[in-house]
Amino acid sequence: MHLTHQRGPLHDLPDSPEAYDAVLADVVEQALRRMTPEGNLEHPDCVDDIGDTSLGITSLLVLALQRTKDPRLPEAVHRSLGFHLRERVYVEDNPGYPNLKIPNSGFPYARYVLEAGAHPIGDWPSTVWALLQAVNILDAPDGLVDAEQRAQLLEVARGYWRWLTEATFFNPQEAGNQAIGGVVCGLMLARHLPPQEGESVRSRAIGLYADEIRAHRVRDRGALLPPEHGGAYDNNYGPISLSFLAQAHRVSGEEIFAEDGDALARYLDARLTGGGFDNGGPRYSEQHSGFESVLGLRYFSRRISSDLGRYRSDSRWGRHAVKPDGGVDGHFAWMLVWQIQDPTRWHRTPSTAPVRHQLRAGTVSVAFDDRMTPSVVEASGTYYLPAAVNRQHGFGPVTDGFLFCRPMGQVRVRDIRTDGLAAKLVTKPVVGRDHVLRHVQSLYVTDGTGLWTTVAVERLPGTPYLLAGLPYAGDDGDRVRRTAEAQMVSAGELRLTHPQSEGPDHFDARSEATQQQAAFALAADPRGYGNPDEGWRHLVSSTALEAEPAPDAPEDLHVFAVRYGSDGPFKPTVERDGTRLTVRTEAFTAVIGDAAGDAHGEPELTLHAR
């Protein structure tokens, strides 16, 4: 089976002006066929996320009219804009909406679901989306939109802004992408208002960003990130936030948006595998965005000089939102408008600068979490997640059911690139159940095709093994398929084990369940509201690769050595010379210094190709 949402890299989609003209031409033909006598452009199957959709198609028709002067479009724009102004602008409070600060304000807003009182919680983001569609239409050159309708739309846009910032709490769902989108609303609306009013709205928007978003950033892997539904980053919404930061910088020129976008982009670059696979987040741990991410990934890939376009998107939404039948949906249409207007093109070259939370070369990559434990390993097109044993998750030595990967003190990291090799040495102080402090030294070396991992630790009691990952997914052309197989060799005996118990807290990679499904099954709240990452942390056991210690290691150490992703002989040797450890494989010789480090406590490492 294939993963549903992770498909081809975003930068594989042509983004030339001619390609976008073809996209707009298709949208125009679908819209003209669909439009009702009343001017409605909504997809017939649209139920939720509906408040901005007809207006979104109208904004695309306005852009197409600007670019092609198609004589059929003025009437279509007039009728569809009239429909939104008549039928989709609400001024009476939605029954049950919980986030009002000023009841019965009379300010206009957009509904997530049209029926009164049906799922009103979504009205705040729906109003953000409707305002963004509106300001894109207001941006059109004079003459493309009927002057009277344009004046009405400007008044509605003013009201939307007041509803978002006065009548309700700002960002009531604590969703960074929605909140930054709200800031963009103000920045774009301000340009259409009289100077004094416009400056007030612009100032208010930037103030909201500073006070309600930036001041509440969450730290993860050394970066400060806009909070997303209670977490630091979501692999669906995070890249969408990046697009909003790109638009905020394009519209305002304020460096705060560029600086924060750079930080988010570098973070995303570090956690993303070379093949573009990623999972994790407080809402959608495998669901990926499509066209909504293009602007931000493309804009900031240029700024940080790295190939962020490798991000695997949901290509069913590669150009615009669609329904299951493939028909266009106007939801989020402003992102397509902005990416067509933005002249930036993809930066396709990977960055080679060492990054603390990533090791990447060729087709091999390791993304590390805050504890400098791998969060995903990629080699030979297979993706390995942290395995679970006895409710503990990660990669590392295990003895008597205890996993040695949680640091008790400072984690030291050393990066080296030499002789066509890239390496990272991670040294962690770890306390076991016996309260003995041990230093776990993990060496990761890659030549771009295989990954050698050597883990050394002071001798452990019992019968230890290395928890070496959960084989989870693999590349299959433009798709990613589920797998329970691994291409790996070990210096000691290697086992692929599966849970002995059944139930949602035991994940068997041979099943057809996805990580996302299992995580939501364990989450406290329903899918779409619960935190799948939090749910996944309740996992008791999983399919796991287990590697026995390497034979002939120094007597006072347990050493584990595995190689991911390449065939051929594998007979590593590990020798002690005083406080130094020498690791020899068929590809390299590495010398690891004392676990206590150099005179400054930093780990020592030398590396040479063989």
Side-chain angles (χ1 to χ4, degrees), residues 23-46:
V23 172
L24 284 176
D26 176 57
V27 170
V28 165
E29 296 306 320
Q30 288 194 52
L32 294 179
R33 289 195 302 269
R34 175 188 301 169
M35 183 182 291
T36 67
E38 297 79 19
N40 187 355
L41 288 170
E42 292 160 1
H43 191 285
D45 295 336
C46 194

Side-chain angles (χ1 to χ4, degrees), residues 499-517:
Q500 298 301 304
S501 303
E502 296 182 355
D505 50 357
H506 301 277
F507 186 79
D508 192 326
R510 296 170 299 181
S511 73
E512 292 193 353
T514 65
Q515 189 268 351
Q516 176 177 300
Q517 290 169 332

